Each structure stands twice: as structure tokens, then as C-alpha cells.
Amino acid sequence: MDDRKFSVLIAGGGSTYTPGIVLTLLDHLDKFPLRALKFYDIDGDRQQKVADACEILVKERAPEVEFVSTTDPETAFTDVDFVMAQIRVGKYAMRSVDEKIPLRHGVVGQETTGPGGIAYGLRSIPGVIGLVDYMEKYSPNAWMLNYSNPAAIVAEATRRLRPNSKIINICDMPIGIMDRMAAIVGLKDRNDLVFRYYGLNHFGWWTDVRDKTGKDLMPQLKEYVAQHGYWLGDADKGTEASWVSTFKKAADVYALDPSTLPNTYLKYYLYPQYVVEHADPNYTRTDEVEAYREKNVFTECARIKTAGTAKDTNFKSDDHATYIVDLCTAIAYDTKQRMLAIIPNEGAIANIDPEAMVEVPCLFGANGPERLAMGNAATFQKGLITEQNCVEKLVVDAYEQQSYTKLWEAMSLCKIVPDAKVAKDILDEMIPANQEYWPELH
Ligand code: NAD
Ligand code: LMR
């Protein structure tokens, strides 16, 4: 009989996503049993607010699970089986800078795409590498599921700097879209879909979507997406304004290649002028998150602490969290479940650089991911992927070589920056703003 129970560490315990993940873990103890749940963060005060509420949740729903919240790496990383990494290096204060500097130059300001993502990438690399090193020192058999953004750049950095580490880079965006696809065709959730998908993180396309009987769902999905994008109408009543606009805009992204279905984030690359025209440089996504998600999470944590109970909490498990639990379960029990991950290409997309970190379906088991072959990228996709992948590689070159020129090249090559002068102006403002986090560039 398999009576294993797992010890899970959430790195970035103070994250707004933590309560949702804890709730999902507690809801799935039958398939993924826990013996310990730990939080680690470098901001002890922020983490404490989330931990106070989560400790009550755990005590009420699974008192047998040991709960630990700490800022000490040794305490955190010792005796763990899985690390879920969700750090935001520089926190929301720096996300705001990532978004607002480019916008002042008429360029998309977004946390994972364009100059904002490049800036965030340079901050995230040492943060995530630090977590990998702690894991390897204190729990060398553990697996890390990393979803700290910008996942594409972080994945390229871990491929190069820690090639043998047990880190799997993942993203919730395709997962969220597949839940929407299921809703569009009247199925329960994404696990009812069988799909083919290829690209880079936040930069990919579905080429095939079927139900479990093999029925092709692409015609029905395409008809819907051509009109509404991934917007679900009434079911999207509570969705934040910027996301409603992103889901709707997928209709225009789809129009460019009606043979596939796109990831929403491609709107930043294909319609950057539209995005800038509809942005307010004084109120970006950071301000929206602070006013909505962050406020709700911390208000609810404080309420639970004061009440001393979480029995009536409005915290809900989310798409993102169920995906993480599914992935841990697949690795722990060798289920060979088919799931997306960001991994070295090695032929999965036949006409793309074998070294590129691509996002493709994999079968997950005890040895980690086994990639599935997706064939050739079409010419349009090949061009976009190749350019964007070179941007991501140049950012990691800049980090490794402390090179101003490589970073300037990365920003100039990026499709959403109009020319090298604009790239330089943005870069020269970003350097002092990131002084505390970036390597010194020469
Ligand atoms: P947040 O600011 O609420 O939380 C991040 C936490 O990380 C903070 O408490 C911060 O103190 C901590 N932190 C920063 N640097 C650290 C370090 N070096 N070591 C340990 N902790 C550190 O941010 P959030 O909005 O909840 O997002 C967390 C991360 O998850 C971000 O990177 C975000 O982009 C990412 N995210 C990824 C996905 C995905 O599927 N890829 C989805 C959503 C969010
Ligand atoms: C986040 O920080 O939440 C992002 O990953 C996605 C968003 O909400 O902008």
C-alpha cells in the first residue's frame, strides 16, 4: 500500500495566490496527501498576514498537517518534496515601474512582455536561482514547480545556469483559456479536452482541440472566438475590466491565423498600438491588482485572523492552483497525465532551435516531463517564435555577461519596441530604477 504523505513548501508565501493554493491543496488531500505545508518569503511581515489566516484554515480542515511559516531558508527547505515557487522580486512597487516607464515612451508596459518583462526577468533570475540552490542544498530529491514570472526568461536562465536541477516551469494562462474553451463547448473543465499546443510562454497557439471521444471541437471554438474572443458574456460579470478587454481582443488575434487558436498575450505583440492607446500611464495593471486582488486577499486574511475561524471564508481555489496540484500528483504517482510545461525544445517543434525553451504538452510522471512532438511551426509562428526567443536569450546573455549592449539588443529586437533609440531611452530609465536588483551593466 502506498501511504506516502508529502511535504510542500510555498516559496513566496506572502503572494496573493497563496490562500487559493492552500485551499486547493486542502480540497485534494484524498489524491495528494500532505504531512507538512510550509511558507517561505523574504518579507516576513507580508507573509505573516497570509500565514495567520492559512494556519487557521489548515487547523480547521486538516489538523494532522504540520504548518510552518518562516523566513529562514534552512527551516523552509529542509525535508520538502515539492517547492511551489511564486516570487515577485521587487514586489508590486517594481511591477508598477515596469509598466509605467515603457508607457511614457509610447510602448506597451506589461509585466511579462516587452521592456517591462525584460526588466522583471533580470530581477527574477537571481531570485529563482537562489530558491533552486536552497532546494538542492536542503532537499536534493525535491521537485520545484516554478511559476514566478516572467516564466520564459526564468526558464531560459534555469536551463543555462542550473541545467540539472529538478525545476519545472509552468504557466496558468493556457490553463485558464482551456477552462474557457470547455465552457464555450459545454464541457465541465479543461480535463475534458485533449489538445495540441506549441509556442513560447505567453506566446503560443492551439492547433487541435478535441473532446475525449475524439470529436474535433476546433470548428465550434473558432466560430465563437471569431466573434467574442475568449470572453464568456454573463459568466464574466465579476472579471476585472482589463481581463475582459484581453479576452475580447483574442478575436482580433485569432483573425490573423484562423487555422489555430491563440494565447491571449499575443495581443501585446500583434496589436501594441491598440494596447498603448487604451492604456492609462497613471493607472496600470499594478494599480488594478492593488485595488482588487491584493486588497481582497489581505482584507480576508485579516478578517479570518480576527474571527479566529475560516469556516465562512470567501477564498476559493483557482485554475492555476488545481493545475499545480495535478502536476504534483502526476509526478508523485507517475500518472503520465498530459499537461503543458516550458521545457527545452529538443525537437518538439521540429523547425525551431532545439535549445529554445518552448511551451508544449508533456506526459508527466516520476521522471518529470516527456515532451510530445508538435511538428513544424507554420511560417508566421516560426518567425514570431524565433524573434521572441532570441529576445529572451539576449536577456539571459545580458545577465550572465553583465552586458549593457546585450540588454539594449534585447529591447531593440523586441517586436513591440519601435526602434533602438526608444529602446535605449527606456533602458536608461530602467537601469537606475532597478539598481537594487539588476547586476551592474558595463
Ligand atoms: P506578490 O507580490 O503578491 O507575492 C510575491 C511574494 O514573493 C511577496 O510576498 C514577496 O515578498 C516574495 N518574494 C520576493 N522575492 C523573493 C525571494 N527572493 N524569495 C522569497 N520570496 C520572495 O505577487 P503575486 O501577484 O502573488 O505573484 C507571485 C508570482 O507568481 C509572480 O511572479 C507572478 O507573476 C506569478 N504568477 C504566475 C502565474 C503563472 O502561472 N505563471 C500566474 C499568476 C502569477
Ligand atoms: C498577475 O500578477 O496576476 C499576472 O500574472 C496576471 C495578471 O493578473 O495581470
Side-chain angles (χ1 to χ4, degrees), residues 11-18 40-44 46-47 85-92 95 111-112 120 124 126-128 131 146-151 170-173 201-202 289 293-294 298 320:
S15 158
T16 48
Y17 291 99
T18 300
Y40 168 73
D41 204 293
I42 52 172
D43 181 341
R46 186 182 172 92
Q47 173 166 265
Q86 46 169 15
I87 62 172
R88 182 182 291 286
V89 179
K91 295 187 279 190
Y92 278 99
R95 179 177 184 176
E111 65 162 348
T112 62
Y120 186 17
S124 287
V128 174
L131 299 180
N146 177 58
Y147 38 97
S148 311
N149 270 314
I170 53 171
C171 176
D172 70 336
M173 197 64 240
N201 179 234
H202 287 176
V289 173
R293 188 174 72 226
E294 191 175 46
F298 282 95
H320 171 57

Short mmCIF file of all heavy atoms in Angstrom, two decimals, residues 11-18 40-44 46-47 85-92 95 111-112 120 124 126-128 131 146-151 170-173 201-202 289 293-294 298 320, ligand 1:
data_model
loop_
_atom_site.label_atom_id
_atom_site.label_comp_id
_atom_site.label_asym_id
_atom_site.label_seq_id
_atom_site.Cartn_x
_atom_site.Cartn_y
_atom_site.Cartn_z
N ALA A 11 7.12 28.92 -1.80
CA ALA A 11 8.14 29.99 -1.74
C ALA A 11 7.53 31.23 -2.36
O ALA A 11 7.15 31.23 -3.53
CB ALA A 11 9.40 29.56 -2.49
N GLY A 12 7.46 32.30 -1.55
CA GLY A 12 6.66 33.47 -1.90
C GLY A 12 5.35 33.31 -1.15
O GLY A 12 4.27 33.52 -1.69
N GLY A 13 5.47 32.93 0.14
CA GLY A 13 4.29 32.66 0.97
C GLY A 13 3.37 33.88 1.07
O GLY A 13 2.16 33.74 1.25
N GLY A 14 3.96 35.08 0.91
CA GLY A 14 3.16 36.31 1.02
C GLY A 14 2.41 36.65 -0.25
O GLY A 14 1.81 37.72 -0.36
N SER A 15 2.45 35.77 -1.23
CA SER A 15 1.79 36.04 -2.52
C SER A 15 0.27 36.07 -2.40
O SER A 15 -0.32 35.35 -1.59
CB SER A 15 2.20 34.95 -3.53
OG SER A 15 1.26 34.85 -4.58
N THR A 16 -0.33 36.86 -3.27
CA THR A 16 -1.79 36.94 -3.32
C THR A 16 -2.40 35.61 -3.76
O THR A 16 -3.59 35.40 -3.59
CB THR A 16 -2.23 38.02 -4.32
OG1 THR A 16 -1.50 37.85 -5.54
CG2 THR A 16 -1.98 39.41 -3.78
N TYR A 17 -1.60 34.72 -4.35
CA TYR A 17 -2.11 33.44 -4.81
C TYR A 17 -2.09 32.37 -3.72
O TYR A 17 -2.66 31.29 -3.88
CB TYR A 17 -1.31 32.93 -6.02
CG TYR A 17 -1.55 33.78 -7.25
CD1 TYR A 17 -0.66 34.76 -7.63
CD2 TYR A 17 -2.70 33.61 -8.01
CE1 TYR A 17 -0.90 35.57 -8.74
CE2 TYR A 17 -2.95 34.39 -9.12
CZ TYR A 17 -2.04 35.37 -9.48
OH TYR A 17 -2.29 36.16 -10.57
N THR A 18 -1.38 32.64 -2.61
CA THR A 18 -1.17 31.60 -1.60
C THR A 18 -2.48 31.02 -1.02
O THR A 18 -2.63 29.79 -1.00
CB THR A 18 -0.24 32.12 -0.48
OG1 THR A 18 1.00 32.47 -1.08
CG2 THR A 18 -0.01 31.08 0.59
N TYR A 40 7.60 30.15 2.81
CA TYR A 40 8.88 30.87 2.89
C TYR A 40 8.77 32.16 2.11
O TYR A 40 8.23 32.17 1.00
CB TYR A 40 10.02 30.00 2.31
CG TYR A 40 11.29 30.78 2.09
CD1 TYR A 40 12.08 31.16 3.18
CD2 TYR A 40 11.69 31.17 0.81
CE1 TYR A 40 13.24 31.90 2.99
CE2 TYR A 40 12.86 31.90 0.61
CZ TYR A 40 13.63 32.26 1.70
OH TYR A 40 14.76 33.01 1.52
N ASP A 41 9.29 33.25 2.67
CA ASP A 41 9.28 34.54 1.98
C ASP A 41 10.42 35.37 2.56
O ASP A 41 10.88 35.12 3.68
CB ASP A 41 7.94 35.25 2.24
CG ASP A 41 7.57 36.27 1.17
OD1 ASP A 41 8.27 37.30 1.05
OD2 ASP A 41 6.59 36.05 0.44
N ILE A 42 10.89 36.35 1.79
CA ILE A 42 11.91 37.23 2.38
C ILE A 42 11.26 38.43 3.08
O ILE A 42 11.94 39.16 3.79
CB ILE A 42 12.95 37.72 1.33
CG1 ILE A 42 12.26 38.34 0.11
CG2 ILE A 42 13.89 36.59 0.92
CD1 ILE A 42 13.23 39.02 -0.85
N ASP A 43 9.97 38.62 2.86
CA ASP A 43 9.25 39.69 3.54
C ASP A 43 8.37 39.04 4.62
O ASP A 43 7.24 38.62 4.36
CB ASP A 43 8.40 40.47 2.52
CG ASP A 43 7.63 41.63 3.15
OD1 ASP A 43 7.45 41.63 4.38
OD2 ASP A 43 7.20 42.52 2.39
N GLY A 44 8.95 38.96 5.82
CA GLY A 44 8.27 38.24 6.91
C GLY A 44 6.93 38.87 7.28
O GLY A 44 5.97 38.17 7.60
N ARG A 46 4.79 40.65 5.38
CA ARG A 46 3.76 40.36 4.37
C ARG A 46 3.29 38.91 4.50
O ARG A 46 2.10 38.62 4.52
CB ARG A 46 4.32 40.64 2.98
CG ARG A 46 3.29 40.51 1.88
CD ARG A 46 3.92 40.74 0.49
NE ARG A 46 2.97 40.44 -0.56
CZ ARG A 46 2.14 41.32 -1.13
NH1 ARG A 46 2.18 42.58 -0.78
NH2 ARG A 46 1.29 40.95 -2.06
N GLN A 47 4.27 38.01 4.62
CA GLN A 47 3.94 36.59 4.70
C GLN A 47 3.08 36.28 5.94
O GLN A 47 2.16 35.46 5.89
CB GLN A 47 5.21 35.75 4.71
CG GLN A 47 4.94 34.27 4.96
CD GLN A 47 6.12 33.39 4.63
OE1 GLN A 47 6.22 32.85 3.54
NE2 GLN A 47 7.04 33.26 5.59
N ALA A 85 7.11 27.64 -6.42
CA ALA A 85 7.80 28.94 -6.39
C ALA A 85 6.96 30.00 -7.06
O ALA A 85 6.63 29.90 -8.25
CB ALA A 85 9.16 28.82 -7.05
N GLN A 86 6.61 31.02 -6.31
CA GLN A 86 5.77 32.10 -6.84
C GLN A 86 6.23 33.42 -6.25
O GLN A 86 5.49 34.09 -5.52
CB GLN A 86 4.30 31.84 -6.51
CG GLN A 86 4.09 31.41 -5.07
CD GLN A 86 2.63 31.40 -4.68
OE1 GLN A 86 1.75 31.45 -5.52
NE2 GLN A 86 2.36 31.36 -3.39
N ILE A 87 7.47 33.78 -6.58
CA ILE A 87 8.00 35.03 -6.02
C ILE A 87 7.85 36.18 -7.01
O ILE A 87 7.79 35.97 -8.22
CB ILE A 87 9.48 34.88 -5.58
CG1 ILE A 87 10.39 34.53 -6.76
CG2 ILE A 87 9.60 33.84 -4.47
CD1 ILE A 87 11.88 34.57 -6.41
N ARG A 88 7.77 37.37 -6.48
CA ARG A 88 7.76 38.57 -7.30
C ARG A 88 8.88 39.46 -6.78
O ARG A 88 8.70 40.19 -5.79
CB ARG A 88 6.41 39.28 -7.19
CG ARG A 88 6.30 40.53 -8.07
CD ARG A 88 4.95 41.23 -7.89
NE ARG A 88 3.82 40.50 -8.42
CZ ARG A 88 3.54 40.38 -9.72
NH1 ARG A 88 4.32 40.95 -10.62
NH2 ARG A 88 2.48 39.70 -10.11
N VAL A 89 10.04 39.37 -7.41
CA VAL A 89 11.21 40.11 -6.91
C VAL A 89 10.99 41.61 -7.18
O VAL A 89 10.74 42.01 -8.31
CB VAL A 89 12.50 39.61 -7.58
CG1 VAL A 89 13.70 40.41 -7.07
CG2 VAL A 89 12.70 38.12 -7.32
N GLY A 90 11.02 42.39 -6.10
CA GLY A 90 10.76 43.82 -6.22
C GLY A 90 9.30 44.17 -5.96
O GLY A 90 8.91 45.33 -5.92
N LYS A 91 8.49 43.13 -5.79
CA LYS A 91 7.06 43.26 -5.46
C LYS A 91 6.32 44.23 -6.38
O LYS A 91 6.77 44.58 -7.46
CB LYS A 91 6.92 43.62 -3.98
CG LYS A 91 7.42 42.46 -3.10
CD LYS A 91 7.15 42.68 -1.65
CE LYS A 91 8.22 43.58 -1.09
NZ LYS A 91 8.15 43.64 0.37
N TYR A 92 5.12 44.62 -5.95
CA TYR A 92 4.28 45.45 -6.83
C TYR A 92 4.88 46.83 -7.10
O TYR A 92 4.60 47.44 -8.14
CB TYR A 92 2.85 45.54 -6.28
CG TYR A 92 2.07 44.32 -6.68
CD1 TYR A 92 1.89 43.25 -5.82
CD2 TYR A 92 1.58 44.21 -7.98
CE1 TYR A 92 1.23 42.11 -6.23
CE2 TYR A 92 0.91 43.07 -8.40
CZ TYR A 92 0.74 42.03 -7.52
OH TYR A 92 0.09 40.91 -7.94
N ARG A 95 6.75 46.27 -10.14
CA ARG A 95 5.87 45.98 -11.29
C ARG A 95 5.32 47.29 -11.86
O ARG A 95 5.20 47.46 -13.07
CB ARG A 95 4.71 45.06 -10.86
CG ARG A 95 3.77 44.74 -12.02
CD ARG A 95 2.65 43.78 -11.63
NE ARG A 95 1.84 43.45 -12.79
CZ ARG A 95 0.83 42.58 -12.80
NH1 ARG A 95 0.52 41.94 -11.71
NH2 ARG A 95 0.15 42.34 -13.89
N GLU A 111 3.89 43.23 -17.42
CA GLU A 111 4.85 42.58 -16.54
C GLU A 111 5.63 41.43 -17.19
O GLU A 111 6.70 41.09 -16.72
CB GLU A 111 4.15 42.06 -15.28
CG GLU A 111 3.16 40.96 -15.58
CD GLU A 111 2.77 40.14 -14.37
OE1 GLU A 111 3.41 40.24 -13.32
OE2 GLU A 111 1.82 39.36 -14.50
N THR A 112 5.10 40.83 -18.25
CA THR A 112 5.84 39.68 -18.80
C THR A 112 6.23 39.87 -20.26
O THR A 112 6.97 39.05 -20.80
CB THR A 112 5.02 38.38 -18.69
OG1 THR A 112 3.84 38.52 -19.46
CG2 THR A 112 4.66 38.07 -17.26
N TYR A 120 11.70 42.83 -15.44
CA TYR A 120 11.28 41.90 -14.39
C TYR A 120 12.13 40.62 -14.47
O TYR A 120 12.55 40.05 -13.46
CB TYR A 120 9.79 41.62 -14.59
CG TYR A 120 9.10 40.78 -13.54
CD1 TYR A 120 9.65 40.55 -12.28
CD2 TYR A 120 7.84 40.23 -13.81
CE1 TYR A 120 8.97 39.79 -11.34
CE2 TYR A 120 7.17 39.47 -12.87
CZ TYR A 120 7.73 39.24 -11.65
OH TYR A 120 7.06 38.49 -10.72
N SER A 124 14.09 38.65 -11.60
CA SER A 124 13.65 37.31 -11.17
C SER A 124 14.75 36.25 -11.23
O SER A 124 14.74 35.32 -10.43
CB SER A 124 12.49 36.81 -12.05
OG SER A 124 11.32 37.50 -11.77
N PRO A 126 18.05 35.99 -10.42
CA PRO A 126 18.78 35.59 -9.20
C PRO A 126 17.85 35.11 -8.10
O PRO A 126 18.23 34.23 -7.31
CB PRO A 126 19.51 36.88 -8.79
CG PRO A 126 18.84 38.00 -9.53
CD PRO A 126 18.24 37.41 -10.76
N GLY A 127 16.64 35.64 -8.05
CA GLY A 127 15.68 35.21 -7.02
C GLY A 127 15.35 33.73 -7.17
O GLY A 127 15.42 32.96 -6.21
N VAL A 128 15.02 33.32 -8.40
CA VAL A 128 14.61 31.92 -8.61
C VAL A 128 15.83 31.00 -8.50
O VAL A 128 15.75 29.91 -7.90
CB VAL A 128 13.89 31.75 -9.97
CG1 VAL A 128 13.61 30.28 -10.24
CG2 VAL A 128 12.57 32.54 -9.97
N LEU A 131 16.40 30.17 -5.00
CA LEU A 131 15.47 29.14 -4.47
C LEU A 131 15.93 27.74 -4.89
O LEU A 131 15.89 26.79 -4.10
CB LEU A 131 14.04 29.37 -4.97
CG LEU A 131 13.35 30.69 -4.60
CD1 LEU A 131 11.95 30.73 -5.20
CD2 LEU A 131 13.27 30.89 -3.09
N ASN A 146 7.97 25.97 -10.80
CA ASN A 146 8.14 27.41 -10.78
C ASN A 146 7.12 28.10 -11.66
O ASN A 146 7.02 27.80 -12.84
CB ASN A 146 9.53 27.80 -11.27
CG ASN A 146 9.68 29.30 -11.32
OD1 ASN A 146 9.51 29.99 -10.30
ND2 ASN A 146 9.93 29.84 -12.49
N TYR A 147 6.39 29.03 -11.08
CA TYR A 147 5.52 29.85 -11.92
C TYR A 147 5.76 31.32 -11.65
O TYR A 147 4.91 32.16 -11.94
CB TYR A 147 4.05 29.44 -11.79
CG TYR A 147 3.62 29.05 -10.40
CD1 TYR A 147 3.00 29.96 -9.58
CD2 TYR A 147 3.86 27.77 -9.92
CE1 TYR A 147 2.62 29.61 -8.29
CE2 TYR A 147 3.49 27.41 -8.64
CZ TYR A 147 2.88 28.33 -7.83
OH TYR A 147 2.52 28.00 -6.55
N SER A 148 6.95 31.63 -11.07
CA SER A 148 7.34 33.03 -10.94
C SER A 148 7.56 33.56 -12.35
O SER A 148 8.24 32.96 -13.16
CB SER A 148 8.65 33.16 -10.16
OG SER A 148 8.60 32.41 -8.97
N ASN A 149 7.01 34.71 -12.62
CA ASN A 149 7.17 35.32 -13.94
C ASN A 149 8.44 36.18 -14.01
O ASN A 149 9.03 36.46 -12.99
CB ASN A 149 5.94 36.21 -14.23
CG ASN A 149 4.87 35.40 -14.94
OD1 ASN A 149 5.16 34.68 -15.87
ND2 ASN A 149 3.64 35.54 -14.49
N PRO A 150 8.86 36.59 -15.17
CA PRO A 150 8.39 36.17 -16.47
C PRO A 150 8.92 34.77 -16.79
O PRO A 150 10.12 34.56 -16.92
CB PRO A 150 8.97 37.22 -17.42
CG PRO A 150 10.19 37.75 -16.70
CD PRO A 150 9.98 37.57 -15.24
N ALA A 151 8.00 33.81 -16.89
CA ALA A 151 8.39 32.40 -16.92
C ALA A 151 9.33 32.06 -18.08
O ALA A 151 10.21 31.21 -17.93
CB ALA A 151 7.14 31.53 -16.98
N ILE A 170 6.14 26.45 -15.33
CA ILE A 170 4.76 26.30 -15.80
C ILE A 170 4.04 27.64 -15.81
O ILE A 170 4.50 28.61 -15.23
CB ILE A 170 3.97 25.31 -14.93
CG1 ILE A 170 4.06 25.71 -13.46
CG2 ILE A 170 4.45 23.89 -15.15
CD1 ILE A 170 3.15 24.91 -12.55
N CYS A 171 2.87 27.65 -16.45
CA CYS A 171 2.09 28.88 -16.55
C CYS A 171 0.61 28.56 -16.50
O CYS A 171 0.17 27.53 -17.00
CB CYS A 171 2.41 29.55 -17.88
SG CYS A 171 1.44 31.02 -18.18
N ASP A 172 -0.15 29.49 -15.92
CA ASP A 172 -1.59 29.22 -15.81
C ASP A 172 -2.42 29.79 -16.95
O ASP A 172 -3.61 29.52 -17.03
CB ASP A 172 -2.14 29.77 -14.49
CG ASP A 172 -2.17 31.28 -14.47
OD1 ASP A 172 -1.39 31.88 -15.22
OD2 ASP A 172 -2.95 31.85 -13.70
N MET A 173 -1.79 30.58 -17.83
CA MET A 173 -2.61 31.26 -18.84
C MET A 173 -3.29 30.27 -19.81
O MET A 173 -4.51 30.35 -20.00
CB MET A 173 -1.75 32.28 -19.60
CG MET A 173 -2.55 33.30 -20.37
SD MET A 173 -3.55 34.34 -19.29
CE MET A 173 -5.19 34.00 -19.86
N ASN A 201 6.33 30.71 -23.79
CA ASN A 201 5.40 31.09 -22.74
C ASN A 201 4.69 32.40 -23.10
O ASN A 201 5.33 33.36 -23.56
CB ASN A 201 6.14 31.25 -21.41
CG ASN A 201 5.19 31.66 -20.31
OD1 ASN A 201 5.41 32.66 -19.62
ND2 ASN A 201 4.11 30.93 -20.14
N HIS A 202 3.40 32.44 -22.85
CA HIS A 202 2.55 33.61 -23.19
C HIS A 202 2.58 33.91 -24.68
O HIS A 202 2.37 35.05 -25.09
CB HIS A 202 2.99 34.86 -22.40
CG HIS A 202 2.63 34.81 -20.96
ND1 HIS A 202 2.99 35.77 -20.04
CD2 HIS A 202 1.92 33.89 -20.26
CE1 HIS A 202 2.52 35.46 -18.85
NE2 HIS A 202 1.88 34.32 -18.96
N VAL A 289 -4.54 45.56 -9.65
CA VAL A 289 -4.34 44.40 -8.75
C VAL A 289 -4.35 44.88 -7.29
O VAL A 289 -4.96 44.26 -6.41
CB VAL A 289 -3.02 43.65 -9.06
CG1 VAL A 289 -2.75 42.58 -8.01
CG2 VAL A 289 -3.06 43.02 -10.44
N ARG A 293 -7.40 42.48 -6.34
CA ARG A 293 -6.98 41.18 -5.81
C ARG A 293 -6.22 41.31 -4.49
O ARG A 293 -6.53 40.65 -3.50
CB ARG A 293 -6.13 40.43 -6.84
CG ARG A 293 -5.84 39.01 -6.41
CD ARG A 293 -5.13 38.20 -7.48
NE ARG A 293 -3.75 38.59 -7.67
CZ ARG A 293 -3.17 38.80 -8.85
NH1 ARG A 293 -3.86 38.65 -9.95
NH2 ARG A 293 -1.91 39.14 -8.94
N GLU A 294 -5.20 42.20 -4.48
CA GLU A 294 -4.38 42.30 -3.27
C GLU A 294 -5.23 42.78 -2.09
O GLU A 294 -5.14 42.23 -0.98
CB GLU A 294 -3.20 43.25 -3.52
CG GLU A 294 -2.18 43.19 -2.41
CD GLU A 294 -0.95 44.04 -2.69
OE1 GLU A 294 -1.09 45.19 -3.12
OE2 GLU A 294 0.16 43.55 -2.47
N PHE A 298 -5.83 40.46 1.32
CA PHE A 298 -5.34 40.86 2.64
C PHE A 298 -6.49 41.24 3.59
O PHE A 298 -6.38 41.00 4.79
CB PHE A 298 -4.28 41.97 2.50
CG PHE A 298 -2.95 41.39 2.08
CD1 PHE A 298 -2.58 41.35 0.75
CD2 PHE A 298 -2.10 40.83 3.01
CE1 PHE A 298 -1.38 40.78 0.34
CE2 PHE A 298 -0.89 40.24 2.63
CZ PHE A 298 -0.53 40.23 1.29
N HIS A 320 -5.29 27.97 -11.63
CA HIS A 320 -3.88 27.93 -11.50
C HIS A 320 -3.48 26.88 -10.45
O HIS A 320 -2.65 26.02 -10.68
CB HIS A 320 -3.51 29.35 -11.09
CG HIS A 320 -2.14 29.61 -10.67
ND1 HIS A 320 -1.08 29.33 -11.48
CD2 HIS A 320 -1.62 30.13 -9.53
CE1 HIS A 320 0.02 29.69 -10.85
NE2 HIS A 320 -0.27 30.17 -9.68
P1 NAD B 1 3.01 39.11 -4.66
O1 NAD B 1 3.88 40.32 -4.70
O2 NAD B 1 1.67 39.21 -4.04
O3 NAD B 1 3.81 37.95 -3.90
C1 NAD B 1 5.09 37.61 -4.18
C2 NAD B 1 5.84 37.35 -2.89
O4 NAD B 1 7.19 36.97 -3.25
C3 NAD B 1 5.96 38.55 -1.95
O5 NAD B 1 5.43 38.23 -0.69
C4 NAD B 1 7.47 38.82 -1.89
O6 NAD B 1 7.91 39.27 -0.64
C5 NAD B 1 8.04 37.45 -2.22
N1 NAD B 1 9.42 37.46 -2.68
C6 NAD B 1 10.03 38.35 -3.49
N2 NAD B 1 11.30 37.97 -3.70
C7 NAD B 1 11.51 36.82 -3.01
C8 NAD B 1 12.61 35.95 -2.85
N3 NAD B 1 13.78 36.18 -3.44
N4 NAD B 1 12.45 34.85 -2.07
C9 NAD B 1 11.27 34.59 -1.47
N5 NAD B 1 10.19 35.38 -1.59
C10 NAD B 1 10.31 36.48 -2.36
O7 NAD B 1 2.90 38.61 -6.14
P2 NAD B 1 1.75 37.79 -6.90
O8 NAD B 1 0.98 38.73 -7.74
O9 NAD B 1 1.03 36.96 -5.95
O10 NAD B 1 2.59 36.90 -7.89
C11 NAD B 1 3.59 35.99 -7.46
C12 NAD B 1 4.33 35.44 -8.65
O11 NAD B 1 3.55 34.46 -9.34
C13 NAD B 1 4.68 36.48 -9.71
O12 NAD B 1 5.93 36.18 -10.26
C14 NAD B 1 3.59 36.32 -10.74
O13 NAD B 1 3.94 36.86 -11.97
C15 NAD B 1 3.48 34.85 -10.72
N6 NAD B 1 2.29 34.30 -11.34
C16 NAD B 1 2.50 33.32 -12.19
C17 NAD B 1 1.48 32.72 -12.81
C18 NAD B 1 1.79 31.62 -13.77
O14 NAD B 1 1.01 30.74 -13.99
N7 NAD B 1 2.97 31.62 -14.40
C19 NAD B 1 0.18 33.10 -12.53
C20 NAD B 1 -0.03 34.09 -11.65
C21 NAD B 1 1.05 34.68 -11.02
#
